[in-house]
Amino acid sequence: PTVHCGRRRRYAAPTLFERITVDPNVMSGVPCVRGTRIPVATVVGMVADDMTPAEILADYPQLSAADVQEALRLAAARVAERQIELPRGA
């Protein structure tokens, strides 16, 4: 299955992500980068805090650039799956 977002962008369904795992015995089942205990949310948060992929890889040498990209793709797919209520402007 495919999640549609925007006009032309398509994201693979979360079950098709090869670099992300969800295991109830690892980090209580939160999505992590395969083979690590690094949550996807941690990687996405670092990007949100203006860290470059090179900076992330320097801090977490066990990750690859492809891991960072796939974490971002998973986050985008998850956001596209649901409607998120945001506070109205002041």
Side-chain angles (χ1 to χ4, degrees), residues 21-83:
T21 58
V22 177
D23 181 341
N25 297 314
V26 177
M27 300 296 289
S28 300
V30 300
C32 290
V33 177
R34 176 188 64 206
T36 74
R37 299 176 66 81
I38 303 170
V40 167
T42 298
V43 176
V44 173
M46 290 186 289
V47 172
D49 288 339
D50 292 328
M51 288 182 74
T52 66
E55 291 170 327
I56 294 168
L57 298 178
D59 283 354
Y60 293 93
Q62 66 271 46
L63 296 180
S64 69
D67 293 330
V68 174
Q69 282 301 112
E70 189 148 305
L72 292 172
R73 287 190 322 103
L74 175 65
R78 290 283 173 97
V79 170
E81 289 175 352
R82 62 185 62 169
Q83 182 177 3

